[in-house]
Amino acid sequence: MLSDFARTMVTDFSIQAILDELVGRIVEMLPVTAAGVTLISPGAEPRYVAASDGSALRFEQLQTDLGEGPCLAACQSNETISVPDLHAEGRFPTFTARALEAGLVAVFALPLRHRKHQLGALDLYRDSAGELNAEAMIAAQTLADVTTAYLVNAEARADLEESSRRYRHISLHDPLTGLPNRVLLMERLEQAILRSRRSALSAAALFIDLDQFKGVNDRYGHGVGDDVLVEVARRLSDVLRPGDTLARVSGDEFVAVCEEVTTVAQAEGLVARLDAALARPLVLPGSVELSISASVGVAFTGQDVVAEDVVDASDKAMYRAKQAGGARHEFLNARDRGIATYEAGLQRDLHGLLGRDELHLAYQPIVETADGHLTGVEALLRWRHPSRGLVMPSVLVPLAERAGEIPAIGKWVLEGASAEQDHWQHAYPVSDVTMSVNVSAQQLMSDGFVATVAAIVRARCSPPERLVLEMTESVSVQDGQRALALLNDLKELGVKLALDDFGTGYSSLSYLRQFPFDIVKIDQTFIAGLARDQASQIIVASTIQLAHELGLTVTAEGVETIEQHHELIRLGCDSCQGFYFARPMASAGIDTLIDPLGNGNHLPARTLAQIKR
Ligand code: C2E
Ligand code: MG
Ligand code: MG
């Protein structure tokens, strides 16, 4: 019997099953009619964990009810209590009377002990009087010890399970909000994808990013910021269903996974509920009311996606919502999903990019509208990817921003463009060609950007005013005050500032007055409409007029036809850039455009238009 039990010890046994087996076998082996195991724990009533039959259970129960009896005494005294004949027993009068009535005659209770701890007792019952002989007592004690070993083992196992459960909880949850973290989110999403494959009902992932949360931290401190996050987590959880998962994946970013959400309308309902939950003003210490909004990106699971793709896709959609000004939501459609997968691959390859010599710059001429003479170039970033071919900046820049690589890449662009300009200055001393470099909003806001530009400006031979930094209206979306201060700092360095893609943002013409721009570049969508629709004409004409009144010069982007060029001459636009004049080209192409004989940069538009890479 012992060897049977020894074997089960090393398997994944159920303690209840083992104890049931134990009490059953004891009755077969020893001259007793029933057996039971009672456990005690400090401050709690004794518990029976096993009984060989109904009578054993009743006797154990009787002792608990009465608070006396040999088994309890064994538990408490930690000694074996032998009652060979209850008729002659005086220690437990109430129990004895009731037990005799129920047909019990002899009881032997052996304490279960482990080191100094009493765990309970192994109780042997008989319906006839008589001692257990020494051999039987030794066997009983051995079995009691075995029982103890099982119990201690079970307890250790339960402790281990509990601590590994606790550890798992800690490692899978966000300590601040108690929500699942990214690891658990991915696990749950993976399961949701598996289920959705079986049910053919897709799940939706909602990427929720709070708008202007950084401002909350900056203004009220991180303690308040944390409180806001906890409250936001609570509100978002409240509107989700019990089976949904809400995770906090970083600072102010949450992801909700909602199963069986298959239509855009359903997802929109969900977003509306989340928005409404956030919309109620939050009261901060000092009765300050704060209203919160979020940018939400939605992506659905599909047949052949993995969790990573779905989260990336929702993240990408969120990013679009954010770019569009925040407090809105965007969906990722099938086409975008393909793009997202493509971009996920690129994202991985971004790592170490600057060390691999895969980036280069193309330069697109900017000419004077009136006579087509070359006045400047714009440096445009290109990534020659070894397997995916040429990656354009509209793809690369947002990826680099997300990966935190934009400050380094932007610095590389500024340095490369400056070196090229110095080369032209050196080779063609009369050259006064300006160099325009694009600066993304995140790059402008990144730590040390002004210092980086200052160092580059100092290291250049070309004068600072021939360096133009181009930025879009999005620079002021996050933190307009800070953007303004940074732009003023840049102006101090002597560089020129251009407002790029003007008209595509949501800000008004008053923008031109508030920010210290020198040049406004009218977006190509309006230039494309010039010869076609009156609205574009009016917008272009009034932008040129207003800019001139404010002392800014105007560049038209994306000039593709002679009609557009003529219209821009008529409207008095200062400069033009576009395929009609020249496409972006390698720097050697620009060399041939800058008059090598020192006669200035006068080249007719026709000539420029013919130079195509
Ligand atoms: P952007 O600054 O507005 O640059 C002009 C874009 O319009 C360029 O696209 C150029 O190739 C394209 N373009 C020029 N003329 C025409 C035309 O006549 N027709 C048409 N359809 N397109 C024309 P590209 O090179 O793909 O650059 C896209 C955007 O990526 C740029 O827009 C700029 O915002 C950004 N970008 C480019 N290089 C950099 C960089 O080094 N850093 C950062 N942060 N952004 C960059
Ligand atoms: Mg530009
Ligand atoms: Mg532009």
Side-chain angles (χ1 to χ4, degrees):
M1 180 178 172
L2 285 180
S3 71
D4 271 359
F5 281 115
R7 270 198 300 280
T8 57
M9 192 75 122
V10 291
T11 61
D12 190 20
F13 56 89
S14 134
I15 190 76
Q16 186 64 54
I18 295 291
L19 291 177
D20 287 346
E21 173 75 4
L22 183 78
V23 289
R25 298 284 294 273
I26 285 173
V27 177
E28 287 168 17
M29 273 185 65
L30 298 178
V32 297
T33 42
V37 173
T38 304
L39 289 188
I40 53 166
S41 42
E45 293 215 320
R47 296 175 279 136
Y48 328 106
V49 284
S52 63
D53 62 11
S55 70
L57 195 63
R58 268 199 310 282
F59 297 138
E60 307 261 353
Q61 180 68 51
L62 188 60
Q63 296 181 70
T64 309
D65 292 348
L66 301 174
E68 73 167 34
C71 309
L72 283 184
C75 285
Q76 282 150 9
S77 67
N78 212 6
E79 283 182 5
T80 302
I81 307 284
S82 290
V83 184
D85 187 351
L86 274 172
H87 295 97
E89 179 56 58
R91 282 174 289 180
F92 324 107
T94 331
F95 169 75
T96 302
R98 299 275 298 273
L100 282 168
E101 263 170 45
L104 182 65
V105 181
V107 187
F108 306 91
L110 299 99
L112 304 175
R113 10 169 213 250
H114 176 64
R115 302 210 178 100
K116 290 201 185 67
H117 307 289
Q118 283 134 259
L119 303 175
L122 169 64
D123 312 315
L124 308 176
Y125 301 104
R126 258 193 3 208
D127 55 6
S128 58
E131 294 279 0
L132 280 183
N133 65 25
E135 205 183 323
M137 279 311 272
I138 290 171
Q141 187 57 58
T142 307
L143 292 172
D145 292 345
V146 169
T147 308
T148 307
Y150 276 111
L151 291 173
V152 169
N153 212 318
E155 205 166 319
R157 219 164 42 134
D159 280 356
L160 204 68
E161 271 162 16
E162 167 61 17
S163 68
S164 78
R165 201 193 59 71
R166 244 198 338 263
Y167 174 74
R168 187 177 143 81
H169 184 89
I170 290 170
S171 65
L172 294 178
H173 289 80
D174 161 40
L176 178 65
T177 59
L179 293 178
N181 63 13
R182 180 180 276 274
V183 180
L184 185 54
L185 169 76
M186 289 306 185
E187 229 173 68
R188 299 256 180 95
L189 184 53
E190 212 55 80
Q191 289 157 4
I193 289 172
L194 287 177
R195 277 193 293 271
S196 73
R197 268 184 212 146
R198 282 196 292 273
S199 68
L201 292 174
S202 62
L206 286 77
F207 204 106
I208 304 156
D209 184 301
L210 304 185
D211 296 325
Q212 271 137 9
F213 182 71
K214 193 179 166 303
V216 175
N217 269 335
D218 289 351
R219 193 163 328 145
Y220 304 107
H222 286 263
V224 171
D226 283 355
D227 292 347
V228 170
L229 289 174
V230 170
E231 175 63 12
V232 164
R234 200 184 59 72
R235 290 187 184 186
L236 294 179
S237 304
D238 281 353
V239 292
L240 297 175
R241 295 170 304 183
D244 296 341
T245 295
L246 179 70
R248 177 168 172 238
V249 291
S250 75
D252 61 345
E253 294 179 333
F254 298 84
V255 175
V257 171
C258 306
E259 289 189 54
E260 299 184 6
V261 173
T262 49
T263 66
V264 167
Q266 279 173 319
E268 262 169 351
L270 201 56
V271 173
R273 289 214 307 278
L274 295 174
D275 280 346
L278 294 181
R280 274 177 289 127
L282 232 120
V283 183
L284 303 184
S287 314
V288 179
E289 286 206 347
L290 184 73
S291 36
I292 296 260
S293 70
S295 303
V296 182
V298 187
F300 293 100
T301 60
Q303 284 304 309
D304 42 51
V305 291
V306 294
E308 199 76 47
D309 293 341
V310 179
V311 172
D312 276 359
S314 65
D315 186 2
K316 186 170 183 298
M318 181 284 291
Y319 192 64
R320 262 202 336 235
K322 184 73 78 186
Q323 290 278 305
R328 67 193 68 210
H329 64 276
E330 292 276 344
F331 285 88
L332 208 83
N333 56 36
R335 191 181 139 271
D336 290 339
R337 193 197 297 285
I339 295 171
T341 314
Y342 164 76
E343 289 182 357
L346 288 182
Q347 185 98 49
R348 286 189 279 275
D349 299 337
L350 264 183
H351 193 70
L353 177 59
L354 279 176
R356 290 201 304 268
D357 200 28
E358 288 168 7
L359 290 182
H360 71 278
L361 292 173
Y363 298 92
Q364 186 177 29
I366 298 171
V367 303
E368 196 158 295
T369 310
D371 60 6
H373 106 240
L374 180 75
T375 55
V377 297
E378 176 172 6
L380 296 164
L381 187 57
R382 301 287 181 264
W383 178 9
R384 216 181 276 121
H385 190 285
S387 60
R388 296 172 196 267
L390 198 61
V391 179
M392 298 307 271
S394 50
V395 173
L396 171 56
V397 171
L399 287 180
E401 283 191 335
R402 303 247 74 193
E405 297 280 349
I406 203 69
I409 291 177
K411 178 164 179 268
W412 180 90
V413 172
L414 274 165
E415 285 170 347
S418 287
E420 203 55 59
Q421 198 178 15
D422 282 351
H423 152 70
W424 291 325
Q425 166 105 27
H426 182 71
Y428 320 112
V430 294
S431 162
D432 55 1
V433 169
T434 60
M435 175 64 73
S436 295
V437 174
N438 294 286
V439 173
S440 79
Q442 207 191 78
Q443 188 183 354
L444 174 72
M445 297 294 190
S446 65
D447 288 341
F449 176 69
V450 175
T452 303
V453 176
I456 288 168
V457 163
R458 271 198 306 277
R460 287 157 46 100
C461 309
S462 311
E465 66 272 16
R466 282 193 215 144
L467 178 62
V468 182
L469 301 183
E470 295 194 357
M471 289 160 238
T472 62
E473 292 156 83
S474 66
V475 294
S476 67
V477 170
Q478 293 284 328
D479 185 348
Q481 282 314 104
R482 183 149 171 263
L484 181 60
L486 289 167
L487 294 185
N488 283 326
D489 289 349
L490 289 171
K491 283 290 291 226
E492 295 266 302
L493 302 174
V495 302
K496 297 266 189 265
L497 301 179
L499 180 56
D500 206 350
D501 301 349
F502 183 75
T504 54
Y506 23 88
S507 51
S508 62
L509 289 167
S510 69
Y511 219 86
L512 294 177
R513 221 186 48 229
Q514 287 165 13
F515 289 85
F517 288 109
D518 304 283
I519 301 162
V520 51
K521 298 186 77 170
I522 303 179
D523 191 70
Q524 53 187 54
T525 49
F526 302 105
I527 306 304
L530 255 193
R532 282 203 309 262
D533 65 87
Q534 223 189 353
S536 295
Q537 243 170 46
I538 294 170
I539 291 169
V540 174
S542 52
T543 306
I544 293 172
Q545 195 193 342
L546 181 87
H548 283 168
E549 276 166 22
L550 293 170
L552 279 78
T553 61
V554 183
T555 302
E557 300 190 271
V559 182
E560 292 186 343
T561 66
I562 190 165
E563 291 80 16
Q564 291 163 357
H565 183 207
H566 285 163
E567 190 61 17
L568 289 161
I569 294 174
R570 194 179 70 78
L571 294 173
C573 181
D574 304 280
S575 304
C576 287
Q577 179 180 354
F579 294 171
Y580 172 64
F581 298 99
R583 285 181 182 260
M585 61 183 80
S587 64
I590 303 292
D591 278 78
T592 65
L593 294 183
I594 301 176
D595 186 353
L597 299 173
N599 296 326
N601 308 322
H602 296 274
L603 281 175
R606 272 189 323 285
T607 318
L608 277 168
Q610 280 156 4
I611 300 170
K612 306 238 165 98
R613 256 167 57 76

